[in-house]
Amino acid sequence: MKKIINQPKAFVDEVMEGILFAYGDRLRFLNGDKRIVLSNEETSAGKVGLVTAGGSGHLPLFLGYVGQGMLDGCTVGNVFASPSAQKMANMICACDKGNGVLCLLGNYGGDRMNFEMACETAELEGVPTRMVIARDDVASSPKSLAERRRGVAGMIYAFKIAGAAADQMMSLDEVAEIAQKALDNTRSMGVALSPCIVPEAGVPSFQIKEDEIEIGMGIHGEPGIEVRKMLTADEIAYTILNKILEDMPVSIGDEVSVMVNGLGSTPLEELILVYRRLYMILESKGISIYMPHIGEFATSMEMAGLSVSVIKLDAQLKKLLRAPANTPFYTSVNK
């Protein structure tokens, strides 16, 4: 293992300290708990709270989206491990402004189970809750079993759109409905070129040959659809987009937002090359792109590879996507 870290067991807490040292004017820990980050942004009384949680190792997911126009709170566990239900419950209660809290999460067993228990605890404390689960990864299950799909980078669109809806003082049910609508219209798929190493494990999460690429691999190293010989940027773009559009048909005149997300070790130039071909393919189909997102939004430590997410927009989703947002790791200004 060759990493710029100190002690593996201290990795997550030291990262959390570093985030607070850098952005302490905008973020804070809940009662000194280094695993629970809350926004310092001023919000209106009665605004629906918006929270998420998950394992560390995916920065800027999940922590990076706490701030103005997006999440009110986030709690994380160890690398690729869910935080506890009690920490989730503490976060939910802290983010209630009087009209309840929406919990947005990826479709992973530990996260679901702990959020369900946390919501029960919060409800006993008088905090209404709703859960919306991201299932955007088309490679993880066929369309007939879409309820089993993993939640990956596409959930960031839900953070953004639901955050804007909450800022407009919509009700808890309305914010949950809009978050679900965003996710219902979002599909993602990724490819991996190399594994990552969890600091406390000290060994690669999987093996792949130097001249190979794995199609559809998950952000924790979950197996993909197939392993192929290395593809060009254009071939990667075509392969991913073809799979997404088979699952989410779009028509001439439709408008989408596209996210090309680096998994941790992929140069921005390479992401731009993939976006170039995605743009050309969609343009040839009469589909326009609004607010492209290109960069690192949901990583997997130092894994090399990328994912593509596509959200089909209507007037409502487009307006909410465009609404102001500003967190330490995200701004809608340059999107």
Side-chain angles (χ1 to χ4, degrees):
M1 180 171 65
K2 190 174 185 181
K3 287 180 176 288
I4 302 174
I5 62 173
N6 296 310
Q7 295 300 315
K9 289 185 177 181
F11 175 74
V12 176
D13 285 343
E14 290 184 349
V15 169
M16 298 296 285
E17 288 175 351
I19 289 173
L20 201 70
F21 292 162
Y23 307 111
D25 57 330
R26 305 165 70 182
L27 303 171
R28 69 183 189 277
F29 293 143
L30 175 60
N31 299 324
D33 190 329
K34 294 178 182 178
R35 300 301 180 94
I36 304 176
V37 168
L38 304 180
S39 174
N40 270 339
E41 300 288 340
E42 291 186 13
T43 56
S44 302
K47 185 190 86 69
V48 168
L50 192 66
V51 303
T52 194
S56 299
H58 302 299
L59 201 67
L61 190 73
F62 300 83
L63 298 161
Y65 303 107
V66 177
Q68 184 256 328
M70 295 189 79
L71 302 172
D72 297 288
C74 174
T75 181
V76 294
N78 290 331
V79 175
F80 299 173
S82 177
S84 70
Q86 186 58 60
K87 288 186 184 294
M88 290 180 179
N90 293 344
M91 169 189 62
I92 291 168
C93 291
C95 292
D96 178 42
K97 305 295 192 300
N99 279 320
V101 176
L102 173 64
C103 304
L104 274 168
L105 59 145
N107 190 26
Y108 300 95
D111 294 342
R112 286 199 322 272
M113 178 182 68
N114 288 343
F115 253 126
E116 286 168 359
M117 291 189 290
C119 287
E120 290 177 5
T121 299
E123 295 271 357
L124 291 173
E125 296 292 327
V127 179
T129 63
R130 298 289 185 276
M131 282 177 50
V132 173
I133 301 174
R135 297 179 171 94
D136 53 302
D137 186 358
V138 300
S140 54
S141 283
K143 195 169 186 177
S144 60
L145 298 172
E147 73 280 356
R148 298 183 182 178
R149 288 177 171 173
R150 300 181 291 252
V152 285
M155 76 176 72
I156 295 154
Y157 282 123
F159 295 164
K160 175 66 195 68
I161 287 167
D167 277 356
Q168 293 181 14
M169 302 304 291
M170 295 186 188
S171 69
L172 178 57
D173 286 339
E174 289 171 328
V175 176
E177 182 179 350
I178 287 170
Q180 188 64 62
K181 177 182 175 180
L183 290 169
D184 287 345
N185 284 281
T186 303
R187 303 289 189 278
S188 302
M189 183 172 160
V191 297
L193 281 65
S194 73
C196 66
I197 298 175
V198 175
E200 288 197 58
V203 295
S205 54
F206 61 93
Q207 298 292 331
I208 187 168
K209 294 179 181 177
E210 284 295 319
D211 62 344
E212 292 178 340
I213 182 171
E214 184 148 0
I215 310 296
M217 174 160 280
I219 59 174
H220 304 104
E222 299 96 336
I225 298 172
E226 61 177 319
V227 176
R228 298 187 191 176
K229 292 298 182 181
M230 187 59 196
L231 303 174
T232 66
D234 285 357
E235 290 169 338
I236 290 170
Y238 175 81
T239 300
I240 293 177
L241 188 59
N242 187 54
K243 182 72 173 179
I244 287 174
L245 296 186
E246 283 178 358
D247 198 272
M248 181 184 70
V250 292
S251 305
I252 293 174
D254 283 344
E255 197 165 18
V256 301
S257 181
V258 172
M259 176 182 292
V260 182
N261 167 61
L263 296 179
S265 292
T266 304
L268 184 57
E269 290 89 346
E270 295 179 18
L271 303 181
I272 290 285
L273 284 178
V274 171
Y275 176 79
R276 167 186 173 272
R277 178 54 61 179
L278 295 171
Y279 176 91
M280 294 169 71
I281 296 171
L282 290 171
E283 184 182 46
S284 72
K285 296 178 180 291
I287 300 159
S288 58
I289 298 177
Y290 181 75
M291 282 183 69
H293 288 56
I294 306 166
E296 290 189 339
F297 298 92
T299 65
S300 183
M301 299 296 293
E302 76 276 31
M303 187 184 293
L306 60 89
S307 66
V308 174
S309 299
V310 178
I311 179 170
K312 184 177 177 179
L313 300 171
D314 62 10
Q316 181 189 44
L317 294 178
K318 182 177 177 180
K319 183 178 180 180
L320 293 170
L321 183 60
R322 180 73 275 173
N326 190 8
T327 80
F329 293 85
Y330 182 99
T331 174
S332 60
V333 173
N334 60 355
K335 297 293 184 289

